[in-house]
Amino acid sequence: MAFGHSGVSRRAVIAGLAAASLAGILPASAQQARPVPDSVTTIDIPNVGPMQVLTYKAQFVSADPATRRVVLQGAWGKRWSVLVPPMMGDVMSLANSRSLVIRVLPGTATYLGKATQGRPGEVFAEVALNAGLPGWPQDFGFREVTITTILANLDRTAGTLTFEGADGFVRTVKAEPKVLADLQGVELGDLCQIKYYEGITINTVN
């Protein structure tokens, strides 16, 4: 996230973003243009509760095998990217598909604390969970991400945290009860570290 030298403090800018996120609207300059899901379904995960699965239809544009980042193009013509988990094999094989169906399962935040180093959007650690998560869908590839970011919103009623990921997408994920019970002094607009799970699966249409 870029901040200009306009005399406005970082906290003031983020406070504005947090307020906007409550209405589901964030400035285009603050995030990568997030596609609108073609469909949204709800599944129930043991010990977690209902979770939404976001389904997108897109075409392959390009891929970086080293980072496993795949650039996609939706029916609306705009491009976006996803990180493909190792369990899905060679990312270049997706280029042979006529179209792709991507399902994203926003995961659960397992840790929230004040950041002592790093800058917004910096990934501190990322681990592919090749064995999956107990009770979660088996056809998804999961990763555990620890990111330095700015807390944009916290909804105790819904039990969720909202923040911007390293990919520029502002995401809202459920937070484990222990996270909401002890915020460790983190307030909206603070630079913090968040650890969370995220799942994705990609099906090809030939």
Side-chain angles (χ1 to χ4, degrees):
M1 183 181 297
F3 292 88
H5 299 286
S6 60
V8 181
S9 70
R10 179 188 296 270
R11 182 178 292 273
V13 173
I14 294 302
L17 293 183
S21 71
L22 292 174
I25 301 172
L26 279 166
S29 60
Q31 65 178 115
Q32 183 181 173
R34 191 169 184 78
V36 177
D38 290 279
S39 65
V40 179
T41 56
T42 301
I43 62 175
D44 191 72
I45 298 178
N47 301 318
V48 176
M51 296 282 287
Q52 288 189 331
V53 178
L54 314 178
T55 300
Y56 305 90
K57 296 178 181 179
Q59 292 183 325
F60 177 93
V61 175
S62 64
D64 182 347
T67 62
R68 303 191 63 79
R69 182 173 295 279
V70 174
V71 178
L72 306 166
Q73 181 169 299
W76 58 93
K78 291 186 177 181
R79 295 182 178 185
W80 54 294
S81 64
V82 296
L83 290 174
V84 178
M87 66 172 288
M88 295 185 181
D90 182 9
V91 294
M92 294 307 300
S93 66
L94 299 176
N96 301 322
S97 305
R98 181 166 54 86
S99 62
L100 303 171
V101 177
I102 302 98
R103 289 185 295 153
V104 177
L105 181 55
T108 302
T110 59
Y111 173 80
L112 169 67
K114 284 195 173 183
T116 58
Q117 59 181 337
R119 61 185 185 276
E122 183 176 353
V123 174
F124 184 72
E126 183 174 355
V127 179
L129 305 177
N130 294 326
L133 291 171
W136 293 62
Q138 295 183 358
D139 57 337
F140 278 77
F142 289 92
R143 61 190 184 120
E144 181 185 64
V145 181
T146 302
I147 186 173
T148 299
T149 186
I150 294 175
L151 183 63
N153 191 35
L154 184 152
D155 189 330
R156 288 184 177 276
T157 301
T160 60
L161 302 178
T162 299
F163 57 94
E164 183 177 337
D167 53 11
F169 289 153
V170 173
R171 54 194 15 91
T172 297
V173 303
K174 284 199 171 186
E176 290 187 349
K178 66 179 183 181
V179 173
L180 298 175
D182 181 11
L183 299 179
Q184 302 191 48
V186 177
E187 299 178 353
L188 295 186
D190 280 352
L191 185 67
C192 62
Q193 275 198 346
I194 296 176
K195 181 183 290 186
Y196 67 99
Y197 296 120
E198 187 170 68
I200 184 173
T201 184
I202 300 177
N203 297 106
T204 61
V205 179
N206 297 313

